[in-house]
Amino acid sequence: MIVVACPGQGSQTPGFLNEWLEDDAHRATLAALSEHIGLDLVEHGTVSDADTIRDTAIAQPLIVAASLLTWQALAARADLSGVGLAGHSVGEFAAAAAAGVLSPESALTLVRARGQLMAQAAAVTPTGMSAVVGGVEDDVLAAIAAQGLTPANRNGGGQIVAAGALPALAQLAEAAPRGARVIPLQVAGAFHTEYMASAIPELGALAAREATPATPTHQLWTNADGSVVTDGARFLELMVAQVANPVRWDACMASFQAAGITGMIELAPAGALTGIAKRGLKGVPTVAVKSPADLDAAVALLAEHGA
């Protein structure tokens, strides 16, 4: 089985959709989604600068829309009926739409609100996130806990993202665990921690009003604990709760291994998850679909390893 992975926030770069939108059909698809949510995704994917697309309220719908655009382009060239799906953080909404749990329009509606609500929650208290790369996992987790921080993203492959108060993150950097580097991330706040709890009630209410979740058409893993979820309503519940709970991408990768996956394809804006997979899923071939030119390699991987 091939896993198709949908990336999370931080994967976007200025102009990353330029090549995709040379295709009139792709441009029309993105323009329609832009109109649906009242946000110009075409502009943000082509001409907006790094600071603009770093804004949580813009970054999240932009990333999900880009992944869905890539999914549609890949589906036009290959049979994707047998692939599995997983998303990292906000990428779960793209995975849910690709798996038929949500329509693309419903997914973007929820993500648009998710980004806005998380941005509002982040503005209440100055917080942040730092990647801790390397070191012994138990030592890293102990150091994070000692500073009163949360391991918000346990990504596997030697990377854990700590989140919480800025002074505590600074202390973590000064007293980095042996063999580890602490790298501050350019994000608005401590995502996937209790600091985001205020976003959950309104997002949950919107999901109840606007979404009619369906049974997944593909095997679909959750960030909550890496398990496969077969009920669409349950997957939507988990996505809403995930806003204030840690992302267990390490558990997802462990489940991929247990399922005997034979390859991974990462949808645009690609690179982060395939990079982690090269360390955490050694020997599993990967393709990062960053541009339309990468579709050939993805199709070839499906043909060779998709059985």
Side-chain angles (χ1 to χ4, degrees):
M1 176 191 290
I2 301 289
V3 169
V4 176
C6 306
Q9 193 166 340
S11 302
Q12 73 281 6
T13 55
F16 77 97
L17 286 178
N18 278 322
E19 292 182 57
W20 291 101
L21 299 187
E22 291 174 4
D23 183 305
D24 290 341
H26 293 335
R27 182 175 285 268
T29 296
L30 198 61
L33 291 173
S34 297
E35 184 175 357
H36 179 73
I37 62 172
L39 181 68
D40 193 340
L41 299 169
V42 173
E43 177 179 351
H44 292 312
T46 55
V47 300
S48 292
D49 62 20
D51 286 338
T52 299
I53 63 173
R54 189 178 295 127
D55 181 343
T56 302
I58 293 172
Q60 293 192 10
L62 179 62
I63 290 164
V64 170
S67 291
L68 291 177
L69 195 71
T70 316
W71 171 261
Q72 292 173 6
L74 186 58
R77 296 193 46 186
D79 178 7
L80 300 180
S81 59
V83 306
L85 284 154
H88 186 284
S89 186
V90 74
E92 286 200 296
F93 286 82
V101 173
L102 300 173
S103 69
E105 292 78 13
S106 291
L108 265 295
T109 294
L110 295 178
V111 169
R112 174 72 162 135
R114 182 186 191 268
Q116 292 171 327
L117 291 167
M118 291 176 73
Q120 292 168 13
V124 174
T125 304
T127 57
M129 305 178 81
S130 294
V132 186
V133 180
V136 177
E137 182 173 303
D138 287 346
D139 294 344
V140 170
L141 291 172
I144 290 171
Q147 299 298 341
L149 298 165
T150 298
N153 294 348
R154 293 178 64 173
N155 289 331
Q159 184 190 104
I160 297 174
V161 176
L166 295 178
L169 289 170
Q171 288 291 329
L172 179 65
E174 290 182 9
R178 183 177 179 180
R181 293 178 295 128
V182 179
I183 306 168
L185 302 180
Q186 296 299 311
V187 296
F191 303 145
H192 301 295
T193 72
E194 70 276 4
Y195 290 100
M196 296 293 110
S198 62
I200 291 179
E202 191 169 339
L203 183 59
L206 180 66
R209 292 195 308 270
E210 299 292 333
T212 306
T215 301
T217 55
H218 295 66
Q219 193 156 323
L220 184 62
W221 286 270
T222 172
N223 284 176
D225 59 8
S227 64
V228 173
V229 179
T230 58
D231 179 80
R234 177 58 179 158
F235 195 76
L236 182 56
E237 289 175 2
L238 290 169
M239 288 195 298
V240 171
Q242 201 74 56
V243 167
N245 287 281
V247 169
R248 292 299 307 272
W249 189 252
D250 59 338
C252 287
M253 289 200 299
S255 293
F256 299 161
Q257 286 185 312
I261 71 160
T262 52
M264 175 187 283
I265 296 170
E266 184 180 2
L267 303 179
L273 299 181
T274 48
I276 292 171
K278 287 174 182 177
R279 300 187 299 273
L281 294 171
K282 291 182 179 179
V284 174
T286 63
V287 173
V289 185
K290 298 181 180 181
S291 74
D294 297 317
L295 289 171
D296 287 342
V299 171
L301 184 68
L302 285 161
E304 185 176 355
H305 296 283

